[in-house]
Structure formats: structure tokens, C-alpha cells
Amino acid sequence: MLSFSLCNIFGVSQIKVKTLTREIVALASEFGLSAVQEYRTPDGTRIDIAILRDGQRLLAIELEASFKWFPQRVLYNVVKAHRAGFSELWIITPFNPNPGWVLGYANELGISLRTMGEEKVLPELKTFLHSCT
């Protein structure tokens, strides 16, 4: 049986979820902040990584490796972040997505939404964390 992924077909690299998660957790720790994996929200959903300072919700990070239903996944992530009390949401994806109208909806909810590739996460996160301390 042939095994392949859409990422390989389109020449897009897949997200190294475990490695990236470990690096994010370590970087947050360097700044004296907590990075909680699989953060459980009050309504029972989960956010891939939550950056917290003394319980204050600073940043929700979602790792989206699936191209299928991408706008719907982004919308779901925006709703989860909003309901959990985050004002900042980053979606890390190997694709070059356009969240379209979901970006406007996130702004209406008071959520700052950014999408980026894996290669940008750590430098951007370092800058973000520096501004939080």
C-alpha cells in the first residue's frame, strides 16, 4: 500500500509538533512563564499550547498541519481562544493560508490572530515573550 501526505505532494514540510512544542515550552520557561501543553479550557476544549503568566492567559498557540477545512479549523480555534479568555492566538501551519473573513471575526471578538510557518515561531515568540516580562 502506498503511503504519502498532501504535504509531500505539494512540497510543503510537515510541522514537527513534538520538537516545536518542546522548544516553545523551554523558551517560555526561560522567560519565567508557563507553557501548558493541551491546555484544558473551562468549557472542556483544548488548546495545543497556552502561554501563561501566573495564571494570566497571554497567548494561545494551535498547530494546524491539515489543509482540509482550514478556514473552519481557524474559526474553531478563534472561538476556543476567545471562550478561554485569550486575546492573542497564533496558528502554526506549513501552508500559506488566508483565513479570510475569520480574521475580521477574530478582530470583532478582540482576538489578535496570526498565522505563520514553523520557521518563524521561535523568533516571533522570543520577541513576544520579551514584551510580556
Side-chain angles (χ1 to χ4, degrees):
M1 178 181 287
L2 205 53
S3 176
F4 58 89
S5 74
L6 286 176
C7 289
N8 293 338
I9 292 173
F10 295 113
V12 177
S13 64
Q14 295 178 334
I15 296 174
K16 296 176 186 81
V17 173
K18 290 180 182 179
T19 301
L20 184 58
T21 299
R22 277 194 304 271
E23 292 171 338
I24 290 171
V25 169
L27 187 57
S29 180
E30 287 177 28
F31 282 86
L33 302 172
S34 300
V36 179
Q37 299 175 52
E38 295 294 322
Y39 177 82
R40 194 138 176 92
T41 66
D43 62 1
T45 62
R46 292 183 186 197
I47 293 173
D48 291 337
I49 306 167
I51 307 293
L52 310 171
R53 178 181 53 220
D54 299 323
Q56 178 188 6
R57 298 167 185 99
L58 301 176
L59 172 63
I61 300 174
E62 293 285 0
L63 306 172
E64 286 295 342
S66 176
F67 186 73
K68 187 176 180 181
W69 304 106
F70 190 80
Q72 291 86 342
R73 296 290 310 156
V74 173
L75 177 60
Y76 178 60
N77 291 330
V78 165
V79 170
K80 285 193 304 182
H82 174 68
R83 290 178 54 98
F86 289 90
S87 60
E88 183 105 14
L89 169 63
W90 293 3
I91 298 178
I92 313 310
T93 181
F95 306 104
N96 189 10
N98 178 358
W101 65 269
V102 179
L103 182 60
Y105 182 66
N107 287 333
E108 289 175 26
L109 293 176
I111 301 282
S112 173
L113 171 63
R114 296 182 61 195
T115 60
M116 67 184 78
E118 179 179 5
E119 72 286 350
K120 292 185 178 182
V121 177
L122 296 176
E124 294 286 332
L125 184 60
K126 193 171 197 174
T127 300
F128 177 85
L129 297 175
H130 190 271
S131 73
C132 293
T133 55

